[in-house]
Amino acid sequence: YRDLHTFELQAPTRLIEWACGNRVCVAGYGQSNGNEILQLIPPPTLLTKETQGLCPERDFKVERGGFSERPVYSLKYVPDTSLLVTSGPPDSSLQVWQVSAEDSDVIKSVSTIAAENGTGQSWAKIATISARAPWVLHGSRLDRVQVTEVESRKNVYTAASRGSEELSNLAFLDCNTLLLCCATGRLCLADIRQPQSLAEAVSVPSAPCSEQWCMGSRNGAQGLEPSSQPVARLSSRGLLTLTDLRKTSEFLALAKARVPCPGSGAEFLCVSWAPALEGYLAISGFDGTVHVYDTQSWDSSGRDAEPIFVHKGHTFGGAGGSRDFPLVTVHTWHLQKPRTLLSAASDGSLHVWDWVQPCGKC
């Protein structure tokens, strides 16, 4: 490591979201009511572009907070606003939160977005954008995907699909193009200007029915066109596929991560591209570690991939000396610092770490 910071939350969290002013938002998922939503100020070393030496302030500080009556399974900051959108059991509705002004430390609930035909549906996956207006993309199943204007709660788009597969991820590629990933690994492209059109990318390799998949997209990173960004898919047995959306009929690359199969389902699977480092991605959700990979040498052979770095910090944090290792519930990359990541685990630990580039890549 070049640097490592830790912070202990009051409850386990399954999400980390960068907000305005380089703040970090987290929320709890472990309680049926009274789950905290916090806006944290990162350590000063994370607020500067250059890595500094020793710094007296090494902890996160709680700047604002609120409470959700339901577990928070997904949280997104709405760009260019002071709003947050969350979702979680027992249904697929969304909760909209106002991050108060500087003279207040309260994050308060301001409205609810009810999903159409949402009765009996699982919690909604969400993505946000403010290209035209503050929009939220949300849905729990492929035939329940909507785009809603956050402030007016006006429906902007409803996807037309005959499939009802459960969704694992949603993303805006731009203000018109949507990317949808099903838990089965099915990847679909949608255009809000053509509600009846839903294009499907290459299917994932055949696998057991119990295998679950998630997706990571780069969303126009480094100023490139959204269609030129590879999409990574990760399965619950560690299979990784890369797909070029300009040529969806074949895989760009295929690899196998050396990770243990999850023993309690695949609800915490996470794969993400580094926003400021070309060709690097990270995966987590199998155990108490986060693996970082350089994909630039991958091909379509499907051979084992070796991580260039493994963060094992959470495995040393068993509460009360417990031998049961925490499970990493989510990770995310720093928006400007190329090799800095944040990760959270089921024991409430929040880590920020900066890994050292291997000598062979210097």
Side-chain angles (χ1 to χ4, degrees), residues 218 221-222 224 229-230 232 240 242 252-253 271-282 292-298 308 333 338 355 357 361:
R218 295 182 62 186
Q222 300 178 345
L224 300 178
Q229 303 304 309
L240 282 154
L242 305 185
L252 185 65
V271 56
S272 64
W273 287 103
L277 200 62
E278 184 68 27
Y280 284 72
L281 60 75
V292 178
Y293 292 90
D294 180 358
T295 70
Q296 295 178 85
S297 62
W298 288 6
I308 61 171
W333 295 79
W355 51 277
Q357 182 80 341
K361 295 285 185 178

Side-chain angles (χ1 to χ4, degrees), residues 11-201:
T13 179
R14 61 180 295 158
L15 43 95
I16 305 170
E17 175 75 0
W18 288 102
C20 61
N22 216 3
R23 299 312 197 241
V24 176
C25 291
V26 298
Y29 70 87
Q31 306 296 326
S32 58
N33 53 45
N35 290 279
E36 285 187 306
I37 299 178
L38 302 176
Q39 180 173 284
L40 307 176
I41 302 176
T45 54
L46 290 183
L47 299 178
T48 60
K49 292 184 178 180
E50 299 297 330
T51 301
Q52 297 179 338
L54 293 176
C55 180
E57 295 290 341
R58 297 186 58 82
D59 287 335
F60 285 84
K61 291 184 178 180
V62 177
E63 184 175 33
R64 296 181 179 87
F67 288 93
S68 171
E69 295 182 355
R70 60 172 68 196
V72 182
Y73 277 29
S74 186
L75 177 152
K76 293 294 180 182
Y77 165 67
V78 183
D80 304 322
T81 73
S82 58
L83 300 175
L84 302 172
V85 180
T86 65
S87 66
D91 55 38
S92 57
S93 64
L94 309 181
Q95 289 68 53
V96 181
W97 303 81
Q98 175 76 55
V99 179
S100 300
E102 294 182 0
D103 58 349
S104 174
D105 59 1
V106 176
I107 298 176
K108 61 181 180 180
S109 176
V110 292
S111 65
T112 297
I113 298 175
E116 293 184 8
N117 302 319
T119 305
Q121 299 293 323
S122 60
W123 62 280
K125 283 66 178 179
I126 55 180
T128 55
I129 196 172
S130 288
R132 297 176 180 172
W135 286 355
V136 57
L137 168 65
H138 57 106
S140 60
R141 295 188 176 276
L142 194 58
D143 57 352
R144 295 286 187 270
V145 175
Q146 300 173 241
V147 175
T148 303
E149 192 171 291
V150 176
E151 294 172 312
S152 68
R153 287 173 280 176
K154 176 184 177 182
N155 177 266
V156 177
Y157 165 86
T158 300
S161 172
R162 296 179 182 178
S164 60
E165 294 100 317
E166 182 180 353
L167 291 168
S168 59
N169 302 91
L170 301 168
F172 281 104
L173 295 181
D174 56 34
C175 61
N176 293 315
T177 314
L178 317 175
L179 187 61
L180 319 173
C181 182
C182 299
T184 59
R186 184 182 179 189
L187 192 66
C188 297
L189 281 166
D191 191 317
I192 65 172
R193 297 164 297 187
Q194 301 174 7
Q196 302 303 316
S197 175
L198 200 64
E200 185 171 350

Side-chain angles (χ1 to χ4, degrees), residues 268 284-290 311 314 326-331 343-346:
F268 298 120
S284 64
F286 298 89
D287 52 19
T289 66
V290 181
H311 174 60
H314 294 284
L327 174 66
V328 172
T329 54
V330 70
H331 73 265
S343 55
S346 56

